[in-house]
């Protein structure tokens, strides 16, 4: 009888987990580990994503991070940057202060509709007859009615004017409300709780007014974007306990600017106003036409960007110098935003 041999049974093909079944991921608050996921698993066009990242690298970018449900889909660095390198994020830090103010409001330490004089005392502006009617919410919505000299131009609450000296008063407000310095307060309620160890506030002066400006790593920017994406929750823990705060801060606040909330920029409206004179007219259309309508963004001078897209569960961060595609010296949204999202749209296939 001739012996015969049989081949071992073939191993079953590897199981590919449907990424839609993956729970949201949050990186550890200490250390450098951070889970990744391939864009191809998400149905992204990886060639288009690579092209978008390559283009960003030609635009004086120093770092780009893309997260999906908290996992890193793409991360690139240029000009000697690393994940540990931090630098000023300009007005993108306004959205960080918004979150901190929201937590103080939730805890009852800060009343948004109270006059700013409650926390700053009288004489903080150069319009003593008007300042008693300027609320904390007015300052956060860039509708204080003040100009860069803190003098009244229009009545509070009636017009949008992107006013850094007025915004800087919010640091005095939150420090008085909490009884803590801005760095101690930020570490206690936010930074330490989500691992933003590479972020620090530094003094900054704009047209004579002292305020603070944040220096962050690209990964810290991504951490903050991830917290916002999850409406203040981090790995099941309510860091900013009032999730309604994000809904409120992502709602158009100034009566004449549908593209601005409480220190956040909003996409998807039929018009918006950009930083500029009080008489600057509204621009027709969405802030970034090629981006998803539900995109919200922390935007800073020099094309510092934290984009949050709830519908796609994405956070996209860009750090660097002012992009070559920007032209001029944009304080917030620039032509870079639209050009980049035209490329990202091809990658994310929405």
């Amino acid at each position: 009888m001739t012996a015969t041999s049989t081949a071992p049974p073939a191993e079953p093909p590897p199981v590919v987990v449907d990424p839609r079944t993956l729970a949201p991921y949050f990186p550890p608050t200490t250390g450098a580990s951070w889970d990744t996921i391939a864009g191809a698993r998400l149905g992204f066009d990886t060639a288009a994503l690579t092209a978008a990242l390559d283009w960003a690298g030609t635009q004086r970018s120093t770092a780009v991070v893309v997260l999906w449900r908290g996992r890193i889909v793409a991360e690139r660095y240029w000009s000697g940057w690393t994940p540990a390198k931090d630098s000023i994020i300009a007005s993108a830090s306004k959205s960080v202060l918004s979150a901190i103010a929201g937590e103080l409001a939730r805890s009852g330490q800060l009343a948004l509709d109270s006059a700013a004089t409650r926390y700053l005392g009288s004489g903080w502006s150069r319009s003593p007859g008007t300042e008693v009617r300027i609320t904390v919410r007015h300052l956060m919505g860039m509708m204080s009615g003040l100009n860069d000299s803190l003098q009244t131009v229009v009545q509070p609450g009636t017009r949008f004017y992107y006013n850094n000296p007025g915004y800087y008063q919010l640091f005095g407000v939150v420090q008085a409300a909490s009884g803590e310095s801005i760095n101690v307060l930020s570490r206690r309620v936010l930074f330490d709780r989500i691992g933003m160890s590479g972020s620090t506030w530094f003094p900054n002066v704009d047209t004579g007014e002292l305020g603070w400006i944040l220096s962050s790593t690209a990964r810290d920017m991504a951490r903050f974007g991830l917290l916002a994406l999850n409406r203040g929750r981090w790995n099941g823990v309510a860091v900013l306990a009032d999730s309604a705060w994000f809904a409120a801060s992502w709602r158009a606040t100034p009566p004449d600017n549908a593209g601005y909330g409480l220190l956040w920029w909003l996409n998807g409206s039929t018009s918006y106003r950009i930083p500029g004179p009080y008489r600057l007219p509204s621009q027709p259309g969405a802030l970034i036409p090629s981006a998803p309508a539900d995109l919200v963004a922390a935007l800073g001078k020099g094309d510092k960007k934290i984009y949050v897209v709830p519908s796609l569960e994405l956070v996209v961060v860009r750090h660097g110098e002012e992009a070559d595609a920007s032209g001029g010296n944009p304080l917030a949204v620039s032509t870079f935003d639209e050009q980049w999202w035209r490329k990202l749209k091809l990658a994310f296939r929405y």
Side-chain angles (χ1 to χ4, degrees):
M1 187 173 182
T2 304
T4 60
S5 62
T6 59
E11 293 187 7
V15 176
V16 178
V17 177
D18 183 345
R20 292 169 297 182
T21 67
L22 294 178
Y25 166 82
F26 298 85
T29 55
T30 58
S33 62
W34 198 316
D35 280 3
T36 64
I37 189 168
R41 289 190 61 194
L42 306 174
F44 296 166
D45 184 324
T46 54
L49 181 57
T50 297
L53 297 174
D54 289 345
W55 180 80
T58 69
Q59 296 298 305
R60 304 177 73 195
S61 300
T62 53
V64 167
V65 181
V66 178
L67 306 182
W68 176 82
R69 287 191 189 173
R71 295 167 180 83
I72 293 177
V73 177
E75 184 174 30
R76 289 268 198 99
Y77 295 94
W78 298 269
S79 303
W81 270 55
T82 68
K85 172 73 173 177
D86 69 280
S87 187
I88 296 299
I89 66 171
S91 287
S93 59
K94 287 182 169 72
S95 302
V96 178
L97 185 62
S98 173
I100 292 167
E103 177 60 12
L104 294 180
R106 181 207 63 80
S107 67
Q109 295 174 273
L110 178 62
L112 298 186
D113 292 313
S114 287
T117 53
R118 173 178 173 181
Y119 306 98
L120 300 174
S122 59
W124 62 268
S125 77
R126 293 170 183 83
S127 295
T130 305
E131 71 178 27
V132 293
R133 300 199 301 277
I134 300 172
T135 67
V136 177
R137 191 183 302 274
H138 289 151
L139 292 173
M140 295 187 71
M142 296 288 180
M143 51 183 184
S144 66
L146 303 174
N147 62 16
D148 287 343
S149 297
L150 299 183
Q151 296 173 319
T152 299
V153 177
V154 298
Q155 290 303 305
T158 62
R159 293 281 286 172
F160 172 84
Y161 177 65
Y162 195 80
N163 180 350
N164 277 337
Y167 156 75
Y168 281 162
Q169 305 308 313
L170 288 168
F171 289 95
V173 168
V174 299
Q175 290 178 119
S178 66
E180 297 171 297
S181 71
I182 187 61
N183 274 303
V184 169
L185 170 63
S186 299
R187 285 192 292 271
R188 177 176 65 82
V189 304
L190 180 58
F191 295 172
D192 289 351
R193 303 188 70 188
I194 68 171
M196 289 178 65
S197 58
S199 295
T200 305
W201 294 98
F202 290 97
N204 187 58
V205 175
D206 193 344
T207 61
E209 297 301 321
L210 175 63
W212 297 81
I213 195 164
L214 191 64
S215 185
S216 290
T217 66
R219 283 194 169 192
D220 274 12
M221 295 165 73
R223 285 175 181 270
F224 176 71
L226 180 59
L227 180 73
L229 180 68
N230 288 276
R231 308 303 201 280
R233 298 189 68 84
W234 188 269
N235 202 20
V237 176
V239 172
L240 304 177
D242 187 359
S243 62
W245 174 255
F246 287 95
S249 58
W250 294 349
R251 185 181 306 123
T253 302
D256 60 337
N257 191 356
Y260 202 75
L262 294 175
L263 302 176
W264 282 89
W265 289 94
L266 318 175
N267 202 36
S269 60
T270 57
S271 66
Y272 63 93
R273 290 189 63 204
I274 59 175
Y278 266 106
R279 296 181 181 275
L280 189 70
S282 293
Q283 306 293 311
L287 191 72
I288 309 173
S290 291
D294 66 331
L295 175 145
V296 296
L299 302 176
K301 180 179 179 180
D303 289 310
K304 281 41 171 201
K305 315 287 185 182
I306 306 173
Y307 308 104
V308 178
V309 188
S311 62
L312 300 179
E313 301 184 88
L314 282 173
V315 174
V316 181
V317 164
R318 187 267 184 189
H319 214 324
E321 302 299 322
E322 180 186 337
D324 292 335
S326 288
N329 191 19
L331 295 176
V333 69
S334 73
T335 54
F336 170 83
D337 297 89
E338 171 62 13
Q339 292 191 48
W340 200 26
W341 276 96
R342 285 180 187 171
K343 301 175 188 303
L344 291 173
K345 184 174 185 175
L346 299 176
F348 298 146
R349 292 174 167 167
Y350 56 86

